[in-house]
Amino acid sequence: MSYVGPDFEPPQNRRPRRGPLTVALAALVPGALLGWLVYETVGGPGDDGGSGQATVRSSPPAASSAPSDDAKEPGASPEPTATPSASAPAASGPLKGKVVVIDPGHNPGNFQHASEINRKVNIGTNSKECDTTGTSTNDGYTEAKFTLDVAHRMRTLLQKQGATVKLTQDGDRPYGPCVDERARIGNQAKADAVVSVHADGSGAGNRGFHVILPGSVKAGAADTRAIVGPSRDLGERIAGRFVAVTGSAPSNYVGDGGGLVTRKDLGGLNLSTVPKVFIECGNMRDSKDAALLTSGAWRQKAAQGISEGIVSFLRG
């Protein structure tokens, strides 16, 4: 979700409140340290969060990279819609009966629809752009392509666990959905967990992943108070498994080194009524992180780490 978007503005240097995460990550210290050594030695996995400095989302083709959040502005002409991509009949498994919504950040077609994705939508606390183009590596591998690939891998893994899996978009619509619609898809599915997958577009040298949690918001159509706790639990479990499976270190440029950041400016989180987090898997503008993000083998590890965190959360 590069933040100059999953639809977002550049993240501010926020320090997540210490809580259960501190305990959870403490148990992961040995593994995290080992992962960090591997990370530094071979160019460990990148981070997909907004930079503490202004994150610059570059857009490969000539399209706007304005921040955005998945939402539709009330009264605006309807966007082209597509039925959220659902999983095949769920197999038997520990997640039988559970619904997981995966939100691949951005859409490959956003570059061709600048006016549509720049349309303002209401996210409760204020108005933001419908969506953004996302970022890309210096060689042109786009965030939209990355997020959809990871989402497909996650869907396969979670279906094997028996979950019903839905995607907010599967490259099956011209652009979007807007950030409010992305939130609405998870809400209407009565999802047990929603994860929005992104990659950041920060400066070179900024590396590592971070998970973005919803802050407590009560404004307009936004009311996250009931999901703040469970979303933090979901985020902590994903962060822990992401470290263990990918060997990636938490972001060195956002947050306090624990891999968790709380945000109140993202429509996809503000408008959610079910547990939801975003994960920035790495920084596409850093050459070492980019080498990971463009590797199919590493993307499989990223999908596995995120999926294991979801499974852990849903099994309690």
Side-chain angles (χ1 to χ4, degrees):
M1 184 166 237
S2 3
Y3 290 104
V4 174
D7 332 342
F8 329 31
E9 296 174 12
Q12 322 246 328
N13 242 342
R14 304 175 187 221
R15 290 185 174 274
R17 298 177 63 180
R18 296 176 182 279
L21 173 62
T22 304
V23 176
L25 287 181
L28 289 169
V29 169
L33 288 177
L34 177 58
W36 177 245
L37 290 176
V38 174
Y39 182 95
E40 286 300 298
T41 302
V42 302
D47 177 25
D48 166 59
S51 84
Q53 308 166 357
T55 297
V56 178
R57 266 191 177 288
S58 57
S59 355
S64 167
S65 60
S68 150
D69 204 307
D70 297 284
K72 274 194 175 180
E73 185 174 316
S77 56
E79 279 185 322
T81 57
T83 302
S85 186
S87 65
S92 296
L95 298 189
K96 183 75 172 180
K98 298 294 186 180
V99 177
V100 176
V101 170
I102 304 172
D103 179 27
H106 314 290
N107 180 316
N110 280 359
F111 290 113
Q112 285 74 48
H113 295 274
S115 61
E116 291 90 343
I117 67 171
N118 282 327
R119 176 172 57 82
K120 293 294 181 70
V121 298
N122 192 292
I123 66 168
T125 53
N126 62 297
S127 293
K128 297 184 74 170
E129 285 75 9
C130 156
D131 200 0
T132 66
T133 59
T135 189
S136 71
T137 65
N138 293 332
D139 291 331
Y141 179 67
T142 66
E143 180 183 5
K145 185 173 182 179
F146 168 81
T147 64
L148 201 54
D149 180 81
V150 172
H152 288 162
R153 295 169 188 269
M154 288 174 60
R155 179 170 60 188
T156 298
L157 292 168
L158 291 166
Q159 285 177 345
K160 289 180 179 178
Q161 294 292 314
T164 295
V165 182
K166 298 182 179 182
L167 271 58
T168 57
Q169 60 92 10
D170 199 1
D172 51 1
R173 52 187 293 157
Y175 64 89
C178 288
V179 295
D180 62 335
E181 185 181 351
R182 290 175 186 266
R184 188 161 56 249
I185 289 170
N187 297 343
Q188 292 178 343
K190 294 181 171 52
D192 296 288
V194 183
V195 176
S196 189
V197 181
H198 289 267
D200 202 11
S202 186
N206 291 340
R207 303 190 63 194
F209 77 92
H210 67 268
V211 178
I212 301 175
L213 314 175
S216 182
V217 172
K218 176 66 172 71
D223 187 353
T224 62
R225 293 173 296 178
I227 67 164
V228 167
S231 295
R232 172 168 285 274
D233 185 19
L234 172 63
E236 290 175 353
R237 291 172 188 262
I238 288 176
R241 294 311 304 159
F242 199 83
V243 169
V245 176
T246 68
S248 179
S251 172
N252 66 3
Y253 64 103
V254 175
D256 66 355
L260 298 186
V261 176
T262 299
R263 300 275 297 272
K264 296 182 180 181
D265 62 326
L266 307 181
L269 295 180
N270 286 1
L271 299 172
S272 182
T273 58
V274 294
K276 182 174 182 178
V277 300
F278 285 74
I279 180 167
E280 291 284 356
C281 297
N283 176 20
M284 301 194 101
R285 309 302 287 186
D286 177 83
S287 60
K288 291 182 179 180
D289 271 9
L292 297 169
L293 297 166
T294 55
S295 163
W298 189 86
R299 291 196 299 274
Q300 184 64 30
K301 291 180 181 179
Q304 182 182 337
I306 299 169
S307 297
E308 287 186 7
I310 294 171
V311 173
S312 174
F313 170 73
L314 295 179
R315 298 191 70 181

